[in-house]
């Protein structure tokens, strides 16, 4: 009899776990079908579709549970950081157009790193000054610093769906690259803030945060590059594809995930590690696998990323109707609206504070013989607009900062969680709907692509020249070095990019794989 009761209890516990997962998978399938039917409507993207469906499903669950809950599953920030985030970021690095990414690497890093620091500082300072005016008090200095990093993380999906990569390669590269590096920098800065001793805030605090940030950023990047190069070297040396393409794909997936987990184990930034791991696997390892594996990897990684992103936005839509969080918050309706409006204003101000000045700086440093590297004022407006939307990373960081296993412990934390959800919903839906008309007005579609600016090509004869040659005299090497230095001073970013491509062709690709620069690549 006791055995029967134990089996019944086990079946009951199993059903408690299986039923919510089954329902959520069914909702994911429904969301996929609706997204397919709306594919031709560029006003609505997957993020907006998932958010709206999440709100509808949350309403249904709320009515069925008689106001007790709007969730099918309970969100756990560890679930996000361990299982959902890695495929999203890895796919972003793996799918990035590397020629454009590396050509605009300096500008992307300006926006994605320096921009986050500027935006985070403005949002932190602004929230510290404005929140008390709406009777929202009780946040600690670490909370304010965390708010700055949470709302500095962008979501550029809506803008990328409207932009045409063939027509505006520079703008597409900047928006895509800055979006991914921005997310990585936000997480790195968030982790650095969590280690800060807020009881000893003084002049050394900023230096300590900066040094910690630089260490996390550089160490995480180095680990990702090492993982990508090691994978490429193993695939090139052992040639897994002669027996099974499955092993090739499995090795790439596992090495990427291993790099992410090693970064988390060493308290680095897994998001930055797996991003650069994806870039270098795509740049080298992808060329060492069979043709069938090349096709499969692209679709598999994109599929994993798509499911993870849809899962997150569905949950955000449901979480917007979580009655318990709204009841826990003690702010009045008008004070709550004031807090939401303040955050949106600070996001817009913080974004503008770095997009326009850093664009001018980039234009000065990217002096070339063509206009392909010039960021026009219309481009700057699109870049500014693209970063106003908030998404999955902001939600995950907010849950990590202000909840315990998805549940806020006090009214202040509940207010911050609801604020984040409202900002994500408002920015994604409202700004997302307005993205297409804005981009169409600023950058009208031209069927004649002959006038489209392309990146300046590096002369083929220059690509064959070594940086230094032991076969030439010291005077000739010195003259070449002087010419390179003058070129570096005149066009620094362009020159560094050309040096990298020459170094890549001469030393990296013969060891790790990949076509030469005069052959087609990604």
């Amino acid at each position: 009899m006791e055995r029967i009761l134990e089996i019944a209890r086990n079946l009951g516990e199993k059903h408690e776990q299986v039923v919510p997962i089954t329902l959520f998978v069914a909702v994911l399938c429904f969301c996929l079908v609706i997204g397919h039917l709306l594919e031709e409507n560029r006003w609505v993207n997957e993020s907006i579709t998932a958010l709206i469906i999440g709100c509808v499903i949350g309403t249904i669950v709320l009515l069925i549970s008689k106001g007790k809950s709007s969730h099918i599953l309970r969100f756990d920030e560890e679930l996000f950081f361990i299982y959902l985030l890695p495929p999203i970021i890895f796919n972003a690095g793996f799918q990035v157009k590397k020629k454009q990414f590396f050509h605009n690497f300096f500008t992307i890093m300006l926006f994605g790193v320096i921009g986050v620091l500027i935006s985070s500082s403005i949002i932190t300072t602004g929230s510290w000054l404005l929140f008390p005016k709406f009777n929202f008090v009780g946040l600690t200095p670490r909370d304010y610093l965390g708010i700055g990093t949470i709302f500095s993380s962008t979501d550029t999906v809506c803008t990328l769906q409207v932009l045409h990569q063939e027509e505006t390669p520079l703008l597409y590269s900047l928006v895509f690259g800055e979006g991914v590096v921005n997310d990585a920098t936000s997480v790195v800065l968030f982790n650095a803030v969590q280690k800060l001793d807020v009881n000893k805030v003084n002049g050394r605090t900023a230096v300590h945060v900066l040094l910690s940030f630089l260490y996390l950023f550089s160490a995480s990047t180095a680990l990702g590059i090492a993982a990508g190069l090691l994978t490429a070297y193993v695939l090139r040396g052992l040639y897994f594809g002669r027996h099974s393409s499955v092993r090739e794909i499995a090795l790439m997936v596992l090495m990427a995930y291993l790099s992410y987990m090693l970064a988390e184990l060493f308290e680095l930034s897994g998001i930055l590690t797996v991003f650069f791991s994806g870039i270098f696997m795509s740049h080298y390892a992808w060329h060492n696998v069979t043709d069938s594996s090349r096709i499969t990897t692209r679709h598999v990684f994109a599929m994993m990323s798509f499911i993870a992103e849809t899962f997150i936005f569905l949950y955000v839509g449901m979480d917007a109707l979580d009655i318990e969080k709204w009841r826990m918050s003690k702010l009045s309706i008008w004070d709550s609206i004031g807090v939401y409006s303040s955050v949106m204003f600070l996001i817009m101000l913080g974004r503008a504070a770095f997009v326009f000045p850093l664009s001018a700086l980039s234009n000065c440093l990217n002096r070339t013989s063509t206009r392909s590297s010039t960021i026009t004022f219309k481009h700057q407006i699109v870049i500014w607009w693209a970063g106003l939307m908030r998404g999955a990373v902001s939600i995950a960081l907010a849950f990590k900062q202000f909840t315990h296993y998805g549940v806020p412990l006090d009214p202040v934390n509940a207010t911050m969680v609801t604020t984040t959800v409202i900002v994500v919903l408002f920015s994604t839906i409202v700004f997302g709907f307005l993205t297409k008309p804005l981009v169409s007005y600023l950058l009208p579609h031209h069927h004649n692509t002959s006038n489209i600016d392309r990146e300046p090509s590096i002369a083929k004869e220059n690509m064959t020249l070594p940086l230094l040659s032991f076969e030439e005299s010291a005077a000739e090497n010195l003259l070449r070095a002087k010419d390179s230095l003058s070129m570096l001073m005149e066009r620094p970013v362009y020159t560094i990019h050309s040096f990298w491509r020459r170094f890549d062709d001469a030393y990296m690709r013969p060891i790790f794989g990949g076509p030469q620069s005069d052959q087609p690549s990604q």
Side-chain angles (χ1 to χ4, degrees), residues 18 83 112 152 216 234 240 327 344 369 408 418:
V18 172
Y83 299 109
S152 293
L216 288 173
V234 171
F240 280 49
R327 288 174 180 170
M344 285 307 309
S369 57
T418 56

Side-chain angles (χ1 to χ4, degrees), residues 225-408:
I225 293 174
L229 292 178
L230 178 61
T231 305
Y233 186 79
V234 171
L235 287 174
R236 183 178 177 85
L238 299 182
Y239 187 48
F240 280 49
R242 68 172 176 266
H243 295 303
S244 171
S245 62
V246 175
R247 290 192 180 94
E248 294 179 319
I249 302 171
L251 181 67
M252 295 177 70
V253 172
L254 292 176
M255 283 297 293
Y257 193 68
L258 177 63
S259 70
Y260 182 88
M261 296 308 298
L262 284 175
E264 295 297 318
L265 180 64
F266 295 135
E267 298 185 346
L268 302 174
S269 171
I271 184 174
L272 198 62
T273 296
V274 79
F275 173 64
F276 277 96
S277 174
I279 288 180
F280 277 78
M281 281 191 192
S282 178
H283 191 60
Y284 298 112
W286 187 78
H287 298 281
N288 299 333
V289 299
T290 59
D291 292 338
S292 61
S293 293
R294 294 180 187 181
I295 298 173
T296 304
T297 50
R298 291 201 170 281
H299 293 297
V300 168
F301 297 152
M303 176 270 297
M304 295 167 62
S305 174
F306 172 77
I307 292 177
E309 286 183 339
T310 306
F311 181 100
I312 293 165
F313 280 105
L314 273 175
Y315 187 89
V316 171
M318 295 180 188
D319 196 67
L321 299 169
D322 191 346
I323 300 300
E324 291 300 322
K325 292 187 179 71
W326 296 99
R327 288 174 180 170
M328 190 178 294
S329 178
K330 301 300 183 182
L331 292 183
S332 65
I333 295 177
W334 293 112
D335 286 338
S336 297
I337 293 176
V339 172
Y340 308 151
S341 302
S342 298
V343 172
M344 285 307 309
F345 169 75
L346 292 172
I347 289 173
M348 298 172 75
L349 178 63
R351 182 105 184 136
F354 75 82
V355 168
F356 299 103
L358 294 184
S359 295
L361 175 62
S362 174
N363 287 337
C364 291
L365 297 176
N366 275 294
R367 294 187 297 270
T368 60
S369 57
T370 70
R371 295 179 58 254
S372 64
S373 296
T374 301
I375 307 174
T376 66
F377 184 69
K378 291 183 178 180
H379 287 168
Q380 295 173 31
I381 294 177
V382 174
I383 293 171
W384 171 76
W385 181 269
L388 295 179
M389 286 161 274
R390 297 296 175 261
V393 176
S394 294
I395 287 290
L397 294 179
F399 270 78
K400 189 172 185 178
Q401 175 82 6
F402 298 109
T403 71
H404 181 68
Y405 291 101
V407 179

Side-chain angles (χ1 to χ4, degrees), residues 62 67 104 143 148 171 187 191 207 234 253 284 293 300 379 397 411 420 443 448 475 481 490 508 513:
L62 195 65
N104 301 304
D143 289 335
L171 185 57
V187 175
N191 292 334
V207 176
V234 171
V253 172
Y284 298 112
S293 293
V300 168
H379 287 168
L397 294 179
T420 307
L443 306 170
N448 182 12
E490 181 181 355
M508 299 295 288

Side-chain angles (χ1 to χ4, degrees), residues 81 87 112 114 164 167 205 210 322 388 471 507:
F81 281 103
I114 306 300
H164 299 275
E167 297 177 14
T205 302
L210 181 61
D322 191 346
L388 295 179
E471 298 177 358
Y507 302 105

Side-chain angles (χ1 to χ4, degrees), residues 73-89:
L73 293 173
R74 176 61 63 180
F75 186 87
D76 182 359
E77 66 273 11
E78 295 301 326
L79 168 69
F80 174 84
F81 281 103
I82 299 299
Y83 299 109
L84 297 180
L85 187 59
I88 295 174
I89 302 303

